[in-house]
């Protein structure tokens, strides 16, 4: 195996675990060993602890930047998690042997469980900071914030810790927070949205975790928020994009455009969210924890029926191998026992591989990964020769703009998009005005 060699006896057990417990075919096992070897070498060179969440995240991000495909990154993650959770290596692996974490302590994005003490227990932090991070996770869970919010806030608190050095938590003042924000803006020259994100994370940390009033911090200049007019595709361009996509990504993008869904809203659709007979689609826990019902395009009903037949076949095959079900939030898992293995709760767009659950170490299926969708859309735009920057969100922008072009009231569009404020929806009126040619250039007169 490439990279750092495993301790004597562990490699054979790791191979056996891949074969018997995960059911990895013999021709694929070398790839798992390869990713693990690369990870161990990565940790050795950088003097990182093997079992820490930070080390794994940095390693995976490096793979993404080198152009590794989504399934390869996921495969690497599973390879490392299986090793860290199931093989408590006591023998020395040089400088990387310390900090091997216990099973279930490397978080993933699959449930609220990733807000637990796993990241806070990183041995690289002093005890007072580990306790503060644990309290951060607790406060976020109490408010039912999303896992993404937790990851963002935790990221900025780690950056804050690195900026301060060894400053004890009890010694933190408003001056420390202000100095950090100023460093981001002046020295690192981060984008305005990034600066404001860090500001909000620090404000939450001080007020809700440390219970400290940030006297004077509120006077720290906030970066100006830019309201850019979104890029919008014409109907012809939408059809051109769809022609470049293959199944299931074409169907996925058709839902993005046909219903105005956000990327994560489409990824997390469950079978029970589709009402094919009634022609409706239900979006639960959208941005701002708001839910809404949307009309389902009639042209997609037939394709969705065929797609769900394929998903059903995959689901039944999973049941035969004894999988534990799809990922569910902790509360739902407890309230509806057995729901994870029921047809109604399966993903409309399931991922291609089973994933090891951090909670119980069992095989579960996650939905299609957002990275794979983004890469397919980018490839389709390049293949179609589009000069515009096309992302998953572009189809939502196009949906809203085309509805307004068709004469629908802006408040109806606001409800369909799930916007809290009408002002947010008003941005699409600027797109309409620019496209309608209401202002004639002097050059054309």
């Amino acid at each position: 195996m490439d990279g750092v060699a495993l301790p004597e006896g562990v490699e054979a057990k790791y191979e056996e675990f891949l074969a018997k417990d995960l059911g990895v075919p013999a021709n694929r096992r070398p790839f798992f060993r390869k990713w693990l070897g690369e990870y161990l070498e990565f940790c050795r060179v950088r003097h990182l602890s093997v079992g820490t969440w930070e080390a794994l995240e940095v390693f995976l991000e490096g793979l993404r930047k080198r152009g590794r495909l989504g399934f390869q990154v996921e495969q690497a993650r599973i390879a490392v998690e299986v090793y860290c959770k199931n093989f408590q290596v006591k023998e020395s692996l040089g400088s990387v042997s310390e900090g091997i974490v216990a099973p279930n302590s490397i978080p993933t994005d699959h449930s609220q469980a990733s807000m637990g003490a796993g990241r806070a227990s990183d041995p690289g932090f002093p005890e007072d900071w580990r306790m503060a991070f644990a309290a951060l996770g607790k406060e976020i869970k109490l408010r039912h914030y999303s896992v993404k919010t937790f990851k963002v806030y935790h990221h900025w608190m780690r950056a804050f810790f690195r900026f301060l050095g060894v400053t004890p938590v009890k010694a933190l003042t408003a001056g420390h927070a202000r100095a950090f924000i100023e460093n981001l803006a002046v020295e690192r020259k981060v984008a305005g949205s990034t600066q404001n994100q860090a500001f909000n994370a620090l404000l939450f940390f001080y007020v809700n975790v440390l219970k400290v009033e940030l006297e004077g911090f509120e006077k720290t200049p906030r970066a100006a928020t830019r309201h850019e007019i979104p890029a919008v595709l014409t109907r012809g361009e939408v059809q051109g994009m769809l022609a470049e996509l293959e199944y299931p990504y074409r169907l996925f993008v058709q839902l993005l455009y046909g219903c105005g869904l956000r990327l994560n809203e489409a990824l997390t659709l469950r079978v029970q969210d589709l009402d094919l007979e009634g022609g409706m689609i239900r979006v639960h826990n959208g941005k701002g924890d708001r839910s809404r019902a949307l009309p389902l395009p009639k042209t997609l009903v037939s394709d969705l029926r065929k797609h769900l037949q394929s998903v059903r076949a995959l689901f039944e095959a999973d049941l035969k191998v004894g999988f534990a079900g799809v990922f569910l939030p902790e509360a739902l898992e407890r309230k509806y026992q057995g729901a994870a293995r029921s047809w109604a709760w399966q993903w409309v767009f399931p991922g291609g591989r089973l994933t090891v659950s951090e909670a119980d170490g069992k095989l579960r299926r996650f939905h299609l990964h957002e990275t794979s969708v983004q890469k397919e859309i980018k490839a389709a735009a390049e293949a179609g020769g589009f000069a515009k920057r096309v992302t998953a969100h572009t189809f939502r922008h196009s949906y809203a703009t085309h509805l307004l072009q068709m004469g629908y009231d802006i408040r109806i569009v606001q409800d369909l998009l799930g916007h809290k404020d009408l002002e947010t929806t008003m941005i699409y009126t600027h797109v309409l005005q620019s496209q309608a040619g209401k202002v004639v250039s002097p050059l054309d007169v």
Side-chain angles (χ1 to χ4, degrees):
M1 182 175 63
D2 297 333
V4 176
L6 296 181
E8 185 178 353
V10 172
E11 184 168 355
K13 293 179 180 178
Y14 182 76
E15 174 87 10
E16 182 180 0
F17 189 91
L18 291 176
K20 293 185 177 180
D21 293 73
L22 297 188
V24 178
N27 63 335
R28 294 185 182 274
R29 287 174 220 154
F31 294 103
F32 283 78
R33 296 195 301 272
K34 171 182 176 294
W35 295 126
L36 178 57
E38 287 190 12
Y39 174 73
L40 294 176
E41 178 66 13
F42 170 85
C43 291
R44 186 190 67 80
V45 171
R46 290 163 179 78
H47 304 287
L48 298 173
S49 295
V50 171
T52 62
W53 173 84
E54 264 199 335
L56 178 57
E57 284 294 298
V58 174
F59 173 69
L60 296 179
E61 184 60 28
L63 294 182
R64 296 186 188 99
K65 289 182 178 179
R66 295 203 302 272
R68 298 298 187 184
L69 299 177
F71 83 91
Q72 292 176 312
V73 176
E74 179 70 5
Q75 193 178 68
R77 183 184 64 76
I78 294 175
V80 174
E81 285 191 356
V82 166
Y83 175 73
C84 291
K85 292 177 181 179
N86 297 281
F87 301 94
Q88 295 285 316
V89 183
K90 296 181 180 179
E91 292 83 353
S92 175
L93 283 175
S95 60
V96 300
S97 62
E98 299 177 0
I100 297 291
V101 297
N104 307 333
S105 59
I106 296 181
T108 66
D109 297 335
H110 303 323
S111 72
Q112 296 289 327
S114 59
M115 293 185 188
R119 299 181 187 179
S121 64
D122 190 322
F125 293 108
E127 179 64 22
D128 58 342
W129 278 90
R130 292 203 299 270
M131 292 177 64
F133 286 142
L136 174 68
K138 180 180 178 181
E139 291 295 327
I140 291 177
K141 288 189 72 173
L142 284 172
R143 290 162 178 77
H144 290 274
Y145 287 175
S146 69
V147 175
K148 283 190 174 182
T149 299
F150 170 79
K151 290 178 66 178
V152 168
Y153 281 16
H154 197 279
H155 162 78
W156 284 117
M157 296 322 303
R158 293 199 315 272
F160 186 43
F161 168 79
R162 288 194 295 268
F163 173 77
L164 296 175
V166 293
T167 304
V169 171
K170 290 184 178 181
L172 294 179
T173 66
H176 291 114
R178 183 183 177 92
F180 177 64
I181 296 299
E182 289 178 347
N183 176 263
L184 291 177
V186 179
E187 301 298 329
R188 296 179 57 184
K189 297 180 174 60
V190 301
S193 58
T194 302
Q195 178 183 331
N196 289 336
Q197 190 184 74
F199 184 99
N200 293 334
L202 284 176
L203 191 63
F204 183 91
F205 184 73
Y206 270 78
V207 174
N208 299 292
V209 177
L210 303 183
K211 311 297 182 184
V212 173
E213 292 297 329
L214 281 174
E215 185 177 350
F217 184 58
E218 68 277 0
K219 296 180 182 179
T220 301
R222 303 293 296 271
T225 303
R226 295 186 300 175
H227 296 284
E228 298 181 355
I229 297 178
V232 172
L233 300 175
T234 65
R235 297 185 194 182
E237 288 173 332
V238 171
Q239 295 304 318
M241 278 290 301
L242 293 175
E244 297 293 341
L245 292 164
E246 297 182 354
Y247 175 83
Y249 298 100
R250 179 183 300 169
L251 181 60
F252 185 89
V253 171
Q254 284 176 315
L255 273 180
L256 290 180
Y257 172 66
C259 300
L261 299 177
R262 299 179 178 90
L263 175 58
N264 194 58
E265 290 173 346
L267 289 171
T268 55
L269 283 174
R270 310 272 183 173
V271 172
Q272 62 185 352
D273 296 331
L274 297 181
D275 182 1
L276 300 184
E277 296 296 332
M280 297 293 292
I281 182 172
R282 297 177 183 85
V283 176
H284 298 285
N285 304 321
K287 189 174 182 179
D289 203 26
R290 291 185 292 273
S291 301
R292 64 191 190 278
L294 300 165
L296 188 64
K298 295 180 180 178
T299 55
L300 293 185
V301 172
S302 177
D303 289 340
L304 283 170
R305 289 189 192 278
K306 294 178 182 178
H307 172 68
L308 290 180
Q309 289 176 359
S310 300
V311 176
R312 183 74 186 235
L314 178 65
F315 166 62
E316 292 175 351
D318 285 346
L319 289 177
K320 289 180 180 179
V321 299
F323 93 130
V326 292
F327 287 93
L328 291 177
E330 285 180 330
L332 282 175
E333 186 94 60
R334 291 192 299 269
K335 184 176 181 179
Y336 303 113
Q337 295 186 9
R341 289 167 57 87
S342 68
W343 168 238
W345 284 95
Q346 302 307 301
W347 305 111
V348 173
F349 293 98
R353 286 172 172 75
L354 293 173
T355 304
V356 179
S357 169
E358 70 170 74
D360 52 22
K362 296 180 180 179
L363 289 175
R364 294 180 182 266
R365 191 171 292 279
F366 198 47
H367 57 64
L368 201 63
H369 200 280
E370 62 182 59
T371 304
S372 62
V373 175
Q374 292 163 341
K375 286 186 176 180
E376 290 293 330
I377 291 175
K378 181 180 179 181
E382 293 176 351
F386 290 92
K388 300 176 181 177
R389 179 175 178 268
V390 183
T391 67
H393 215 63
T394 303
F395 296 97
R396 176 175 163 87
H397 293 321
S398 303
Y399 166 83
T401 304
H402 295 168
L403 283 180
L404 291 174
Q405 286 177 335
M406 294 163 64
Y408 285 97
D409 186 87
I410 192 169
R411 293 193 179 277
I412 294 177
V413 178
Q414 176 191 359
D415 290 338
L416 292 173
L417 293 175
H419 286 163
K420 182 178 180 181
D421 299 316
L422 182 62
E423 184 180 351
T424 307
T425 317
M426 288 291 290
I427 189 68
Y428 299 109
T429 63
H430 297 290
V431 179
L432 283 179
Q433 291 171 5
S434 64
Q435 291 182 345
K438 292 184 178 180
V439 177
V440 179
S441 170
L443 189 63
D444 294 331
V445 177

